[in-house]
Each structure stands twice: as structure tokens, then as C-alpha cells.
Amino acid sequence: MPQVISLQTGSARRVLINGRTVMTAIHKQPVAGPLPVLPLGVSGDEQADLSVHGGLDKAVYAYPSEHYPLWQAARQAAGLTGIDETLPWGSMGENLTLSGLLESDVWVGDLLLFANCVLRVTKPREPCYKFNAAMGFNTAAKTMAQNGCCGFYLAVQEPGSLQAGDSFELVPGPRSMGIPESFRAKMFKHQR
């Protein structure tokens, strides 16, 4: 049964990216114990740019733990050895690090039934320059686009609470648009 490996939140803060100071909340940190999950996301989590993250349709960001070895290898290939070699959970900016559920298993409208809340799959994540900066190399967004390892956003269907270790059931929705297909359509620009 799929489960939450880790639960993360983060605060918006100013960081220097390509010579500019920008707001970002991509740096998520694991939290212990259950946290409330409300219509706009996990309690204590912030988003810096609500035009691309957050809101009702992007309240929670989930990412498969199975992709972390790919990012460790990509960072090593980019010469980033010795810096966060283990890549702690939350490094992709996700709230939920999941095990047992890949993008290929998920369709827009599917439900994730947890013991204390229900989340609905809405869309894939689109990487940006902030993701490149967080990963430490300028082709991270392109790597995500080429490999389809994007994770997915969730709306809060039924508020409640979540914590690391929670298992859940995937309940199929209408199955008209898969996350991989939706992601490929959006990421064409990054693959050039």
C-alpha cells in the first residue's frame, strides 16, 4: 500500500538566484507528528508565488521517493559531490514524499484516501528557474521535463490531518487525463 515517507513544510524567504533576490518557499523541511491539512494546504506551509504554486488546486505537492536516486545521480554528474549527497526529503519542494505511487499511476481526478483526510489529484508540477537553483545546476528543469519525474499537485477534498507513515488508498477518478500526458504537453518548451 502506498504511504507518506515524509511530510514537509516551508516558509517563504528571500534567496539570491542568478544575481537577483527572489522570494521562494521551495526549501521544505520535514516535520514530526500530524499536521492539519486545510483547503489551502498543510498547516505551516507557505508559497512565495501564488500565480504558480498554492491555491485550491495546488494546495499540496506530492513527489515520489523513487525519483530521488535520479536526482542524486544528476547532481553528481553536474559536479555537486559533497553537497547534500543524500538529498533530504523535501528537496524537490514537496509537502508529501510518497512511496509506492508514481506519476504513471495517477490521473487527474484520482483521490488519495488517507485515514484522516482525502486529497484529489489536479495537475503535474511545472519546474522553473527556482528549481534549477534549489538543485544546484541550470539544467534541472530540463532533466525533469525529459524524465517526467514531476510529482503532482493535490486539492484538499476533505480536510483533516497527515503525518509521515500514513498509508493511503488510490481511488480512480474519471481517468481522462493522466499526469504523464498532462506533463508532456506542458513541458514541450523545456525539451528544446
Side-chain angles (χ1 to χ4, degrees):
M1 181 170 259
Q3 75 176 96
V4 177
I5 298 297
S6 185
L7 172 65
Q8 292 83 220
T9 62
S11 299
R13 61 184 172 130
R14 294 192 179 283
V15 298
L16 189 64
I17 299 177
N18 297 329
R20 298 183 4 216
T21 301
V22 296
M23 289 292 288
T24 183
I26 197 169
H27 303 98
K28 307 290 187 197
Q29 298 295 316
V31 292
L35 284 181
V37 179
L38 306 169
L40 290 176
V42 179
S43 181
D45 189 52
E46 294 180 350
Q47 298 84 32
D49 183 352
L50 294 175
S51 70
V52 291
H53 302 290
L56 294 173
D57 279 346
K58 295 185 267 184
V60 178
Y61 175 44
Y63 197 80
S65 62
E66 291 84 353
H67 296 323
Y68 269 77
L70 171 112
W71 293 110
Q72 290 165 331
R75 286 167 54 87
Q76 186 174 27
L80 297 170
T81 55
I83 303 172
D84 289 335
E85 286 186 28
T86 61
L87 273 183
W89 304 131
S91 293
M92 303 305 128
E94 78 271 21
N95 301 112
L96 302 178
T97 309
L98 304 179
S99 174
L101 188 68
L102 300 174
E103 294 86 351
S104 58
D105 304 323
V106 181
W107 296 68
V108 173
D110 285 355
L111 298 177
L112 280 58
L113 271 62
F114 294 88
N116 298 308
C117 74
V118 178
L119 304 176
R120 180 175 35 83
V121 177
T122 58
K123 55 185 70 181
R125 180 245 188 106
E126 296 180 49
C128 66
Y129 72 97
K130 292 178 185 180
F131 180 68
N132 287 344
M135 292 306 294
F137 62 103
N138 287 333
T139 57
K142 185 174 184 175
T143 299
M144 184 180 275
Q146 291 172 336
N147 289 281
C149 50
C150 58
F152 44 92
Y153 283 111
L154 301 160
V156 178
Q157 188 84 10
E158 294 178 20
S161 65
L162 285 171
Q163 67 181 350
D166 281 352
S167 59
F168 61 93
E169 177 186 352
L170 176 70
V171 176
R175 298 282 164 134
S176 60
M177 174 63 78
I179 289 297
E181 294 79 17
S182 180
F183 183 68
R184 278 193 297 275
K186 293 174 185 249
M187 289 297 96
F188 180 73
K189 62 186 174 188
H190 292 288
Q191 296 177 358
R192 292 180 268 174

